[in-house]
Amino acid sequence: MTLATVAPRASLDGVSLDALTARLGTPLYVYSASAIRERIRSLQAALHGMDALICFAVKANSNRGVLGFMHEHGVGADIVSAGELWRALQAGIPAERIVFSGVGKSASEMDEALAAGILRFNVESHDELLTLQRVARARGTVARAAVRINPDVDALTHAKISTGKAENKFGVSIDEARRWFASRHELSHVQLDGLHVHIGSQVLSLGPFREALQRVAAFWRELVAQGHPIHSIDAGGGLGVCYREGHDQPVDAADYIAIVREALAGFEGRLLLEPGRYLVGEAGVLLTRVIRTKHGDQRNFLVLDAAMNDLARPALYDAWHDIVPVAENTHPMTTYDIVGPVCETGDTFARNRALPTCAPGDLLMIRTAGAYGASMASTYNSRPLAAEVMVDAGRYAVVRQRQRFEDMVAGEQPAKHWETA
Ligand code: LLP
């Protein structure tokens, strides 16, 4: 069920969007607490009876308010950097609910994560495994680790967010992982007892998940038969959401978990999941006002006060986001190129999009912006980061103040003190 069917456009969780933007300005990210809660609950319900932990992929929305909300609902974190570790810990997420993924963990990041006592590392290369062994030994501790398997499965998603093919930089082949386990006893400071797989993001069909999990499950059975205990299997993230109403058909969480249960039948260890987009994507919208309309020789442009620096997905992946007026608008339809003020042709949210004719000042909603929206924002063109707000049961809480110019340039300074390195 998409947001459109649960919430009228003019308000979200009982908060008037017009009143909210009158107070807080635009562009403005708004996250519906009830929608996030509903997603967490649907996943938790599907996992009923299993020893499972949901670790929210922090990269999808790293706002501390959102992370704190995850923590309140028993959700841990999947991190990919020391910065994300810091955010997760600051938000109150206990280290024992944090897993660390990514191909480029540095030795110092590993050390910080070990010091914090995180649950486990998802290891993606042999060099990383040896580095983890060295760092853990120096610290006098044992790192818990899982091998990230690259199952060579096509996730049937956008090439830039597909991660499970052999040609991708992520994970290692089952053949290589087999060699790691065979020499597992040489690792005095790494406890290699887990498997991890993540084939890509915005996956809209169950087939690729099934295929990847079946490969991992066959490998887990092989390892156990050889006497290697496997204490956790991390099925990654990737569940897609609806960006285009009437077009995208996300898989149901319960059906997805049924596939996991089926593939891992008999597994008695802990199941980890790393959803990002599924938990927050549809819960978030980006509110923006029309600055002006422009009638070019060939096209009508709708120029918004939001731009590619606020929401990079359309510019980066040609991603579709539904865009709708917030107030009822019964004007005849016009076909627009919907653009931002940034000085790049790529700063386009939509091309040839039909909307009821808009006028300067109209409030629009860019939908499904809760994941990889604010977390990928920049200040390009010296546009301060947008404010972010959570809404719940008729009230709102600002979780990020609109950035001031002073904050935007914090740390920059004139080249006055010249030193030699
Ligand atoms: N686990 C790992 C190891 C990941 O690399 C990712 C996402 C996730 C979990 C969460 O995936 P999700 O459940 O959100 O699909 N910026 C892109 C998406 C990049 C995803 C990167 N990895 C976008 O805007 O579509």
Side-chain angles (χ1 to χ4, degrees):
M1 187 164 50
T2 64
L3 214 52
T5 54
V6 294
R9 280 176 198 169
S11 68
L12 203 54
D13 282 9
V15 176
S16 153
L17 297 179
D18 204 44
L20 201 57
T21 54
R23 287 226 174 159
L24 302 173
T26 48
L28 178 68
Y29 274 103
V30 187
Y31 309 127
S32 154
S34 69
I36 301 176
R37 207 180 282 120
E38 209 252 346
R39 285 295 165 100
I40 296 172
R41 295 216 169 119
S42 69
L43 213 45
Q44 285 171 340
L47 291 165
H48 182 72
M50 298 177 92
D51 176 10
L53 177 65
I54 303 171
C55 293
F56 174 60
V58 172
K59 62 175 87 66
N61 189 321
S62 40
N63 184 286
R64 285 161 70 178
V66 172
L67 296 182
F69 187 84
M70 293 296 170
H71 169 49
E72 280 166 31
H73 291 78
V75 174
D78 162 46
I79 58 156
V80 293
S81 67
E84 287 192 352
L85 172 65
W86 188 85
R87 279 180 185 270
L89 293 172
Q90 287 280 316
I93 297 177
E96 60 271 21
R97 291 197 183 155
I98 297 179
V99 296
F100 196 169
S101 307
V103 294
K105 305 174 194 82
S106 68
S108 72
E109 285 181 314
M110 292 177 189
D111 196 45
E112 281 179 52
L114 284 172
I118 65 159
L119 179 61
R120 59 175 59 243
F121 292 81
N122 291 327
V123 179
E124 309 218 15
S125 66
H126 194 243
D127 179 74
E128 183 189 336
L129 185 64
L130 298 183
T131 306
L132 186 59
Q133 154 75 10
R134 182 166 52 76
V135 175
R137 169 187 263 161
R139 181 164 273 288
T141 187
V142 174
R144 289 167 296 249
V147 187
R148 176 165 176 179
I149 300 296
N150 182 321
D152 196 19
V153 166
D154 189 344
L156 306 175
T157 183
H158 191 289
K160 287 192 184 171
I161 54 174
S162 179
T163 55
K165 292 282 290 167
E167 71 210 44
N168 299 135
K169 68 178 174 180
F170 300 97
V172 301
S173 66
I174 287 180
D175 275 349
E176 177 165 351
R178 200 174 272 130
R179 293 195 290 274
W180 292 15
F181 278 97
S183 56
R184 157 175 89 87
H185 297 293
E186 292 163 23
L187 297 165
S188 55
H189 292 76
V190 175
Q191 183 183 317
L192 190 63
D193 61 359
L195 298 175
H196 173 232
V197 66
H198 170 78
I199 55 171
S201 198
Q202 184 56 8
V203 180
L204 290 173
S205 48
L206 287 171
F209 286 127
R210 183 184 287 117
E211 213 177 315
L213 283 165
Q214 281 174 351
R215 286 183 197 182
V216 168
F219 186 44
W220 150 61
R221 292 197 172 90
E222 174 191 322
L223 290 170
V224 169
Q226 288 167 359
H228 301 296
I230 297 298
H231 291 132
S232 77
I233 296 183
D234 184 333
L239 278 176
V241 299
C242 180
Y243 284 98
R244 189 173 180 179
E245 227 185 319
H247 182 271
D248 298 340
Q249 304 224 299
V251 303
D252 191 72
D255 293 342
Y256 168 70
I257 297 301
I259 292 241
V260 177
R261 284 181 192 266
E262 189 189 312
L264 303 184
F267 176 62
E268 286 178 353
R270 189 169 219 204
L271 172 69
L272 301 172
L273 298 175
E274 303 168 348
R277 195 185 314 261
Y278 174 79
L279 295 183
V280 293
E282 288 178 30
V285 299
L286 176 59
L287 297 180
T288 169
R289 285 197 190 273
V290 174
I291 295 180
R292 63 176 52 88
T293 55
K294 170 173 171 175
H295 302 286
D297 284 348
Q298 298 186 359
R299 288 171 183 269
N300 297 311
F301 295 98
L302 196 57
V303 186
L304 309 181
D305 68 0
M308 64 189 284
N309 71 295
D310 302 300
L311 177 66
R313 304 192 70 259
L316 208 51
Y317 318 113
D318 288 322
W320 178 290
H321 282 258
D322 281 339
I323 303 176
V324 293
V326 167
E328 183 154 349
N329 179 336
T330 51
H331 296 142
M333 302 299 267
T334 299
T335 300
Y336 292 110
D337 275 12
I338 305 178
V339 301
V342 162
C343 300
E344 295 207 21
T345 300
D347 184 23
T348 299
F349 289 115
R351 285 168 66 83
N352 286 322
R353 192 74 71 87
L355 273 188
T357 304
C358 291
D362 282 1
L363 186 61
L364 300 184
M365 178 195 277
I366 304 182
R367 285 212 166 118
T368 316
Y372 306 107
S375 65
M376 289 173 67
S378 76
T379 59
Y380 185 43
N381 276 212
S382 286
R383 294 169 44 85
L385 296 179
E388 295 168 72
V389 64
M390 284 187 87
V391 290
D392 196 11
R395 295 180 306 163
Y396 72 90
V398 176
V399 290
R400 177 180 193 110
Q401 304 280 354
R402 186 171 303 285
Q403 200 176 34
R404 298 170 312 147
F405 292 144
E406 292 81 353
D407 305 327
M408 186 173 68
V409 300
E412 294 179 24
Q413 51 193 5
K416 264 201 286 204
H417 306 290
W418 296 88
E419 297 168 62
T420 49

